[in-house]
Amino acid sequence: MVDFVQVWNWYSREKVRRAILEFAKNREVVSVFSDGSYGRRPDSLNYDGDVLQAIAEGTVAFHSSVERWENPTRLDIGMKREDLDNLRIGWDLLIDLDVKDFEIAKIATKKFIEALQDHGVKNIGTKFTGGKSFHVIVPFESFPSKVNGIPTKNLYPELSQKIIEYLKWYVKDELKEALLSLDNLNNISQRVGKPLKEIVVNDELDPFKVINVDIFGSRHLFRMPYSLNENTMLVSLPLRIEEIDSFEKEQAEIKKAKVEESFLKIYTKEDATALVVEALDWYDKNYKEEEKSIAVNIPKRPISKKSKIPEEFFPPCIKKILEGLDDGRKRAIFVLVTFLRNMNWSLEEIEKKIYEWNEKNKPPLRMNYLKNQLRWHFRQDRNLLPPNCDNKSFYEDMGLKDFCEECLKLGVKNPVNYPFAILKRKKKKTK
């Protein structure tokens, strides 16, 4: 039974209303009542009085859109994609982790946050849902304004879905190990209320049979920060990342909850660019979609069975990368591994070289990140080439444009072709 006096007491706090209104800007906001039913759509919150009026009419919780709209009240059922794109001004990446066990939810939340941090993302919001788990969000300001020439605001929900699929792949092995460190298979099965055969695939624990990560379509709603949860009457409370381990649900009770943390903080813009690059590249190679990704339009060249090409014949851009980088380190891994494989280096030699290279980076990348990247590359039985020399997202944005000039002078479009062009010249001179 909902205690409406408590509901009123919570939302009557000025700090609560201010935080809700701040997040509600340019979003569709829908009331949720005590029986779980939703109010009218579309709707929005614009003024302080709107919140109190909604509570007076029986609202217990507020759910808002992942997407941001120029005017949310202009939304309508059955709108064409073109009309939605014109009305949309942005969207946030929401990672919604659905799992019954609270400790498992904490582990999964931290693994996804670590994955985002591995990709250089600094703008990360985290909050308790008020139920059994957590929400993690990356604001729209973190993404590049365009991807492959298309405004990023128009790439919802496809880009969001691809990033989440990539992050699931990225954390899967570490998450599995973390869960097995927490408990054995039988107990994990009992903790989440699923039969053992449902969470074990090919004799191994599948962490995403334990934890469900929702994939959203357009106009998806989620519980707003500082909203009450209509089922538990707990506050959907924003947290600092370092508070996740020690957080207990009791801290989200109405009498104990405090309005201290902003859910969305913008430390730097476009800090998720590397995440977008890697997610699209991974998705393109795994799902073989006929669409342009970051590393398309590069010539196919079969890996030769000739001897290993030594470093002295590498192009200047690759040699510069091997000296260590301050920026673009994650993109550099893709360039280096694909290049070295085409230079007929063994997997052991590549792994050793990547670890040596990482020690020169400032700062070095996390070892788990390197291992995951190498694991993925070494599983590929297809010939992947590094991006072409004129790929702005890689060489120019990494500050290597001048080092690519030598390739272009030789009429070489891809770094892989440079050593063969040099060797061909030497052979002619010898003759």
Side-chain angles (χ1 to χ4, degrees), residues 11 16-24 45 62 224-227:
Y11 290 110
V16 172
R17 296 198 305 278
R18 192 186 308 141
I20 288 173
L21 286 170
E22 179 185 348
F23 192 78
L45 291 177
F62 295 99
M224 293 181 71
Y226 293 112
S227 165

Side-chain angles (χ1 to χ4, degrees), residues 7-169:
V7 174
W8 180 264
N9 288 341
W10 174 250
Y11 290 110
S12 63
R13 298 186 192 180
E14 186 181 351
K15 281 188 175 180
V16 172
R17 296 198 305 278
R18 192 186 308 141
I20 288 173
L21 286 170
E22 179 185 348
F23 192 78
K25 187 177 180 181
N26 297 119
R27 298 181 192 270
E28 182 180 9
V29 180
V30 178
S31 292
V32 183
F33 302 103
S34 58
D35 61 358
S37 62
Y38 284 74
R40 65 178 186 181
R41 294 187 69 178
D43 204 353
S44 61
L45 291 177
N46 299 302
Y47 305 104
D48 191 69
D50 294 345
V51 179
L52 294 176
Q53 179 64 34
I55 303 307
E57 292 173 357
T59 298
V60 175
F62 295 99
H63 287 206
S64 68
S65 60
V66 175
E67 296 159 277
R68 305 186 202 176
W69 307 99
E70 183 181 346
N71 184 350
T73 59
R74 285 172 52 196
L75 290 165
D76 200 0
I77 296 173
M79 287 183 75
K80 294 179 181 178
R81 172 64 184 260
E82 182 182 358
D83 295 330
L84 288 170
D85 287 349
N86 289 335
L87 192 59
R88 189 189 305 107
I89 61 174
W91 50 271
D92 303 318
L93 177 71
L94 175 68
I95 302 172
D96 188 352
L97 303 167
D98 185 10
V99 57
K100 290 183 177 180
D101 185 271
F102 196 51
E103 291 306 311
I104 291 177
K106 286 183 179 181
I107 290 171
T109 302
K110 289 188 293 180
K111 289 301 174 188
F112 273 91
I113 289 172
E114 284 176 9
L116 292 170
Q117 291 173 332
D118 279 349
H119 290 78
V121 182
K122 297 180 177 65
N123 307 322
I124 303 172
T126 312
K127 73 177 180 69
F128 172 52
T129 64
K132 299 182 178 70
S133 190
F134 301 85
H135 286 146
V136 178
I137 197 168
V138 177
F140 184 67
E141 289 80 2
S142 286
F143 298 102
S145 58
K146 289 185 178 181
V147 176
N148 292 328
I150 302 172
T152 305
K153 75 178 188 69
N154 294 345
L155 294 175
Y156 188 86
E158 295 84 4
L159 181 54
S160 170
Q161 293 168 352
K162 291 173 184 178
I163 292 173
I164 289 174
E165 290 294 350
Y166 167 70
L167 289 172
K168 285 171 64 179
W169 167 81

Side-chain angles (χ1 to χ4, degrees), residues 291-309:
E291 56 184 66
K292 290 184 177 180
S293 71
I294 300 301
V296 297
N297 296 328
I298 54 178
K300 296 287 181 180
R301 180 191 180 101
I303 297 177
S304 105
K305 295 181 180 179
K306 296 178 183 178
S307 59
K308 168 185 169 183
I309 305 295

